[in-house]
Amino acid sequence: MDYQKIASDVYNLAESDEPIAPQVREALQVIEQCLDQYGQDHLSLSFNGGKDCTVLLHLYAAVLTRKVSSTHKPISAFYIPVSSPFATLEEFVKIAAQDYLLDIFTCNLSSDIQLPVESVTPGVSTPTSLKGSDGYIGDRLQTRPVGTARGGEGMRRALELYKLRFPAIQAILVGTRRTDPHGATLSYRNMTDPGWPAFERVNPIINWAYSDVWTFLRKLKIPYCTLYDEGYTSLGSTYNTFPNPALLVTDSDSSNTLPSSLTIVANNPNTMCLAEPLPPKSFMNGSAGSLGSFTIIANNPDQTCFADPVCDLRETEPPGSSIELLGPFQVLANDPNTQCHAEVNEKSANSVSLPPRYRPAYELQDGSLERAGRVSGAIPPVIPEI
């Protein structure tokens, strides 16, 4: 991890004429003031792998490098898993901890205590409608809350555990924004509520919009959880989190419609055209998708082989290989002098039923629909989240 580059990129953006510069400056000032007051030994970061805390982590790393040292100590952080977390998200947390040198503590409660961090509801179907006449976003699923506690109780218990294990921590950096649940009444700095472990909650990006988050991540090429490239815009439990219906690719969207079947043809009869998973890139350059494990062989230029497009695999070309990017596919020839061609097979173009496809989270134009893929619990959270 090049901390000097992180600091340079972030502070240069803050001092630039970019529209997001004021938000970046504001966040940096809040973090700097908090660091001046508490010092790194008494300050921690709440990190769950989501887009907001990923922004916050990058900002904090920049401040530590500029104000403390480019060889500063590991960053104190904690992770509170939700009930039934996404495996992809948990893997991202681990990789981010390695790359940013996080001294991260996972606040796991005992297995016999099932208390949600927020209201978590096992859904029975994926929400499809965006908004009803009463303003409700998403389908009304017949669901039940996990456990019997009110939403947020799991977080309170987890913070009690964290306070017990790390009594020196006095303040916590949190990626809460104004449009988040319980975020509307928060300021930059707030103490936890009565009955909660005593921490000062510091919200450096409280005034950031949804679009600001993605502008920052993409402009600085900051890695983020790949679930956001699959249409998810707000991440929680697998029970209550679905791809955002506002990002659903429709049949009328011709620029994103995929052929149901492809014809793979090699221009060399002695060559194989391969479609297979390629090694993922390093974390800082993003992660690859996967097509599953299969091989398409065309050992005759007149032979046709069919492949169903199933997901987006965007990789760089391996040395000595010939790759043609075919929409969501990359076809690899085992001879660098051979081209593998793909054409839509008209005869079977409608023979394959494909799962719904979603555009990436950064393409959501209406930030008010950020949580359209989340299903609220039957019992609303009444204890503020940290």
Side-chain angles (χ1 to χ4, degrees):
M1 176 68 70
D2 188 346
Y3 282 105
Q4 290 285 10
K5 186 177 187 305
I6 289 177
S8 177
D9 290 346
V10 171
Y11 277 89
N12 285 343
L13 180 60
E15 297 164 3
S16 71
D17 295 328
E18 296 285 345
I20 197 177
Q23 288 90 323
V24 177
R25 286 197 300 271
E26 177 183 79
L28 290 174
Q29 290 170 2
V30 173
I31 297 173
E32 289 171 356
Q33 292 170 3
C34 188
L35 185 63
D36 288 342
Q37 177 178 345
Y38 290 105
Q40 186 179 351
D41 291 339
H42 302 287
L43 184 59
S44 185
L45 171 78
S46 175
F47 187 76
N48 64 3
K51 61 186 184 303
D52 301 323
C53 60
T54 299
V55 166
L56 184 57
L57 171 59
H58 206 76
L59 289 166
Y60 186 33
V63 172
L64 286 174
T65 303
R66 180 64 63 92
K67 299 299 181 181
V68 179
S69 169
S70 59
T71 57
H72 55 73
K73 295 177 291 186
I75 298 173
S76 295
F78 67 89
Y79 168 46
I80 305 178
V82 296
S83 176
S84 185
F86 285 91
T88 301
L89 186 63
E90 291 208 305
E91 181 62 22
F92 176 79
V93 171
K94 293 178 182 177
I95 297 175
Q98 295 172 1
D99 282 2
Y100 283 90
L101 300 179
L102 298 183
D103 181 11
I104 191 166
F105 176 74
T106 300
C107 298
N108 279 321
L109 301 175
S110 60
S111 58
D112 59 330
I113 302 178
Q114 297 184 1
L115 301 176
V117 172
E118 57 181 24
S119 291
V120 180
T121 57
V124 295
S125 65
T126 301
T128 55
S129 61
L130 284 180
K131 184 178 293 187
S133 59
D134 58 353
Y136 177 83
I137 297 175
D139 281 347
R140 300 185 183 280
L141 305 182
Q142 296 300 316
T143 59
R144 60 179 177 81
V146 175
T148 58
R150 296 179 298 177
E153 180 65 10
M155 178 170 283
R156 188 182 69 82
R157 296 284 187 91
L159 288 178
E160 286 179 344
L161 174 62
Y162 188 63
K163 189 70 170 180
L164 183 65
R165 292 288 298 273
F166 300 93
I169 298 299
Q170 300 177 33
I172 298 174
L173 297 170
V174 186
T176 300
R177 292 184 292 112
R178 189 75 62 196
T179 55
D180 291 335
H182 315 294
T185 59
L186 295 179
S187 61
Y188 298 124
R189 302 172 66 165
N190 305 88
M191 290 302 298
T192 49
D193 295 337
W196 282 59
F199 292 106
E200 182 172 17
R201 300 171 293 176
V202 183
N203 309 296
I205 62 171
I206 188 68
N207 291 325
W208 286 38
Y210 177 85
S211 59
D212 295 331
V213 170
W214 285 111
T215 297
F216 184 81
L217 290 173
R218 286 169 56 76
K219 183 172 290 293
L220 298 185
K221 296 180 173 60
I222 301 169
Y224 53 82
C225 179
T226 56
L227 288 174
Y228 291 114
D229 289 333
E230 300 173 17
Y232 293 89
T233 53
S234 177
L235 300 179
S237 165
T238 58
Y239 290 138
N240 72 343
T241 305
F242 304 97
N244 195 318
L247 293 173
L248 179 66
V249 176
T250 62
D251 292 338
S252 60
D253 189 353
S254 58
S255 63
N256 289 283
T257 300
L258 301 179
S260 297
S261 185
L262 299 177
T263 300
I264 310 297
V265 180
N267 65 354
N268 185 328
N270 298 317
T271 294
M272 291 192 304
C273 296
L274 306 177
E276 57 185 10
L278 300 178
K281 303 176 186 176
S282 66
F283 170 70
M284 289 307 295
N285 289 326
S287 300
S290 175
L291 291 174
S293 179
F294 64 90
T295 301
I296 300 171
I297 303 176
N299 58 3
N300 185 311
D302 297 322
Q303 178 181 351
T304 59
C305 301
F306 302 111
D308 301 331
V310 290
C311 69
D312 196 351
L313 178 60
R314 295 186 175 94
E315 270 288 351
T316 57
E317 181 174 345
S321 299
S322 174
I323 291 181
E324 182 180 0
L325 184 61
L326 305 171
F329 283 105
Q330 287 181 327
V331 179
L332 171 66
N334 66 350
D335 181 344
N337 296 318
T338 295
Q339 294 293 323
C340 291
H341 303 283
E343 301 173 351
V344 177
N345 186 322
E346 299 295 343
K347 292 183 179 180
S348 58
N350 297 318
S351 62
V352 179
S353 177
L354 299 178
R357 292 184 59 249
Y358 295 84
R359 299 191 302 278
Y362 56 79
E363 292 190 12
L364 183 67
Q365 298 297 313
D366 186 352
S368 67
L369 296 178
E370 177 182 355
R371 295 177 66 86
R374 298 289 293 276
V375 180
S376 300
I379 302 177
V382 295
I383 300 178
E385 297 180 8
I386 186 171

